[in-house]
Each structure stands twice: as C-alpha cells, then as structure tokens.
C-alpha cells in the first residue's frame, strides 16, 4: 500500500514517500516521509504489525516521519523489537530525536546499516539492497518472498538416500556428507523461484543496478519525479522522468510499473502514464496515497 | 488558524499541535507538530509569510514537524530570516536534522532560547512566554497587538512643551530630559491597552501563571486533553480536563476559550464543550483543524 507518493514537499494531498508492503499480516515499511503515522491510521493499519523499516537515503522527505512513528509506537505500548535498516546517520538522527524529546522507548530497535546485498530476512521475505544513482548515497530495495524448497523424493531414491535430519541442513543451503558421500542442496531439492518480487528504487536516475535488481519483478516502484518534458531538470536533480522509468521497466521485463515520487507541478498525471507506457509493462500506473496493489501468491 | 489540534498522536484527522496566528499578513506559528507543512498547504498559506516560530516544550508531538517545514522553506527559495523561539535543545535538533539530511538552508535562522518575559516583538505584536505546569519544562505564550501610543497634546500644552524628536524616545518607553526637566512617557502619552490578546498554553495542568497571563484575554487556547471523567489521568499525565480549562477561563475572565490537544479517545467532543462551558466564557469551542478564528481589531 502506498502511504505517501510525492516528491520533496507534500502536494495535492499526495503525502511524502512511504510504502507499506504487507505479507501474511506482517508489515514492511519502505521510507518514512513526514506524515506516515497519520497515513497508517487513515489506512487503518496497526503499527504493531510493522516488523521492519527500510530507508533508502538521507534526504529529509524520506525519513522525517520516523521520530513521530517511533514515539507513536511507544505511546501504543509496543513491546516487539523493531528492525530498522538505513544509512548510518539515520541512527544518529533517531538517537538525537529521542534525546531532545525525552522519548523513553518501550521496545528495542535493532539498527542495521544498509550495504549492498541481503539486509533482512525472516520466514516470509528476503530484502536485498542495491546502490542507485542519486545526488547522495542512496539505495533501492528488492523484497521477495522466500523461495520454496521441496525435497524431490524421486532424486532421493535415485541416490539411494533415506530422509533424515540432514535434509534441514540442505534446506538452509548447506552441503552435507551422508553415508560418506557429499550431497549438495540441488542434488535432492527442488527450489521454486520467489513468486513475488517487488523493487523500490527510492530517488534515482535510470540505473543499470535497478535493471539488474528488477529483472522479472512483479512490481517495480520507480522514481518518476518528472515528465520527459523536463528531462534536463531530471538529469540535473538526479531523478528520473516517467519515460525513463518506462525504459527501465522494459529492460528488466517487469510485470507492473508504479510511478512514484511525483513532482508537485503535475496535478494531472495522465501524461506521466502515457510516457511510461512505451516500456511495455503489463500495467503502468501513478501510485496514489492509500492505493493498495494486491498481489496473488 | 488551527493547523493541528490533537494530543500525542494524530487521530480522527485532527493532526498534531500547530497554530498559525496571522496579523496584517504576517504569520506567527505556535508549535510545529508533524504534518504542519502539509496543513499549511491545505490551508493555502504561504510559508514565506511566517516570520516567527514558537515552540512550547520538547515533547515530540509539538516539534517533529519542524525539520520538514524548514527544508520546505529552502525548497521554496526563502531568503527572509526566520525567528525561532524555543527550548535550547530545539536548536540541537534543528542542527542535527540539517546535518544528517544535508539540508543547506537558503535563509538564516535567528534562534532564541525561551525564557519568561518578552521573547519577541515587531511592529505588529509582542509575544511573552510564561512557565506552565507540565511533566517537562514547558512554556505558554501570550501574543498581543502592540499597545497604541498617542501624544496627548493637551498634556503637552499644560507642561509647556513643544513637539520634538524627544517624543519618539518617549514612545519607546524611555524617560527623557527636555529643557532641563525630566519627562516620563505617561506624562504626555496616552497608552491604549492591546486590543487583542491571545494566550496559548501548550501542554499544562491548570496553572496560576496561565490565569495571570490570560487575564482579560480575547482568546485562551488551553490544554483540554481529557474530559472530567478522566480527571485522575489528567493529573497523572500533567494535562488538563476541559472542565479545568473552563475554570482557568473563568478565573482569568477571557472572552473565548478554545479547547486544544484533544485525546484520541474523544471522537465526539460535545461533552468537552459542555464541561468547559461552566467557566462562563462568551464562546467555548473545540479547536478543529483549519478552523479560522477571526478577531476584529
């Protein structure tokens, strides 16, 4: 669900960047623009269900809503720890806001500095970070459902093996020795690729790392601050046009493309969709606040 | 104009504390809860018109909207300096937010640490701070239009004085010597009392300093977080009930009482108005977002 979708300053009631991904009742929040806590309430989402928060980069419109959200969690009596992934200075900001406001948190924060690669995983999802191309150090995030792993009984039989506890180790990706013989996961396991893959760029120019991260994605949420009519400004400010977002969608062959981080100058956004459509994604739309994009697994 | 009026966390679309007082096209902002910049836009108020910001105390719901507002001013190309009055650690927070977000401000901030007494004055208004009774160091603010000062020509004649440049010095409150004789302002000037006096408490228990500050006020905006039904909780959390706000209004003889900082538990607030009404103010209401209280001068 999109909570806020506008660029830099809130405009046309679009709110500042924040996206809530929900998987089996667990919430993963990407960016926390000012006003996120209010939008979560409007959307009737419980902040207790948010397990992890991911921040793309340290421009204020992407994280100024975090201190209020964290304080609201205490007011609501949260006990469950919260995972926060973001640039190092985000942690400084959290500490500073808590110090000056005297906020005594009722729960623990497990902060992890974002680096490229896997930054988070739980029983539902894996989240990887990748560098994007912006005016400051910035990351995009790729979230995918855990690959499903099944034991192929036929392969097992052919190798003359019997089921045993070693299978759990294989499922965790380890290579094991059974009856004096080396067995790799792929020897006896079927690994289904992730059924859902969502990629969020944060702020970026069109970027080869995004193309790689988004290959075959179910949904690509891409910076589309400007129309191609303002391509020069997009280059200068290190953002993308809707047309460029369409190009990235085409190169990575995504199913759906959501245009995000829209400049206040575009009240009517149909032009942006027209521009991005040439990328050939099956669906192309401009993300709107409280818009829910449901994906069947 | 009330921008946000709710307690602690935004609820029922009430937004977090912020009040914009406008005098002759100049804006004075009291508290800056999260979401203030969005509400200013909704209200179609230009942030360029805001000349001074006053923060009552360092609980997050009263200032977490400041970093976003300050950044938005830069995005809008503000050049005029901004006056900010608040507790010392507010300045730390501003610096911290600017450092982590790389915000290079396009205008100067003139920060002044709040103490009791006059904290601000310009050609329109004077603002005084007074200590209130809350769980942390907290101030209320009294804003009044400048007393109008006229030269009483009759008094002047009786003292055998002629108009001269010394009158400007008298108007500034100085005592002067004219023709070897000591002249005080009250000897020749008529001083009309302020025509408008607005008092905003921020968060507080009913407090004698508020009664003193609000004596004869045009408008008292008072903490009314709770109903008298939850008086015990109000005492514990160092807030006021609507009934207590009414009592303060009665003791200070204000014209209008606005109930402010309403807890999320009260969706229907008519009960609060009923409670506060016994205070006998000519008008009593619950402040609502974007509600404009116009005062004739």
């Amino acid at each position: 669900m999109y909570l806020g979708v506008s660029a830099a300053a809130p405009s046309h009631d679009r709110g500042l960047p924040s996206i809530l991904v929900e998987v089996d009742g667990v919430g993963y929040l990407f960016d926390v623009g000012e006003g996120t806590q209010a939008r979560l309430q409007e959307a009737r989402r419980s902040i207790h269900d948010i397990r992890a928060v991911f921040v793309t980069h340290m421009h204020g419109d992407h994280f100024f809503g975090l201190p209020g959200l964290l304080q609201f969690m205490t007011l609501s009596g949260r006990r469950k720890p919260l995972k926060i992934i973001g640039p190092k200075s985000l942690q400084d900001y959290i500490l500073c806001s808590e110090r000056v406001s005297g906020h005594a948190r009722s729960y623990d924060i497990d902060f992890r500095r974002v680096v490229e690669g896997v930054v988070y995983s739980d029983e539902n999802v894996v989240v990887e970070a990748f560098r994007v191309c912006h005016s400051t150090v910035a990351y995009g995030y790729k979230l995918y459902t855990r690959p499903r792993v099944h034991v192929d009984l036929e392969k097992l039989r052919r190798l003359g093996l019997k089921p045993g506890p070693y299978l759990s180790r294989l499922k965790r990706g380890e290579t094991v020795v059974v009856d004096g013989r080396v067995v790799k996961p792929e020897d006896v396991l079927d690994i289904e690729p992730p059924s859902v893959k969502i990629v969020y760029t944060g702020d970026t120019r069109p970027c080869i790392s995004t193309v790689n991260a988004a290959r075959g994605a179910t949904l690509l949420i891409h910076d589309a601050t400007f129309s191609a009519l303002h391509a020069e400004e997009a280059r200068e400010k290190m953002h993308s046009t809707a047309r460029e977002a369409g190009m990235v969608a085409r190169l990575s062959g995504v199913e759906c493309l959501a245009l995000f981080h829209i400049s206040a100058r575009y009240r009517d956004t149909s032009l942006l969709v027209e521009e991005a459509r040439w990328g050939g994604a099956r669906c192309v739309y401009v993300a709107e606040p409280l818009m829910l994009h449901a994906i069947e697994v």
Side-chain angles (χ1 to χ4, degrees), chain A residues 83-105:
Chain A
K83 192 106 186 175
I84 300 181
I85 293 95
K88 173 71 185 69
S89 55
L90 183 65
Q91 191 176 26
D92 301 342
Y93 190 58
I94 294 169
L95 294 175
C96 174
S97 72
E98 292 184 343
R99 183 175 53 77
V100 301
S101 66
H103 170 204
R105 229 185 307 115

Side-chain angles (χ1 to χ4, degrees), chain A residues 5-11 15-17 60-62 203 225 239 261-264:
Chain A
V5 303
S6 108
S11 56
L16 291 165
D61 53 326
H62 292 254
D203 293 2
T225 309
H239 285 291
H261 203 261
I262 310 301
S263 161

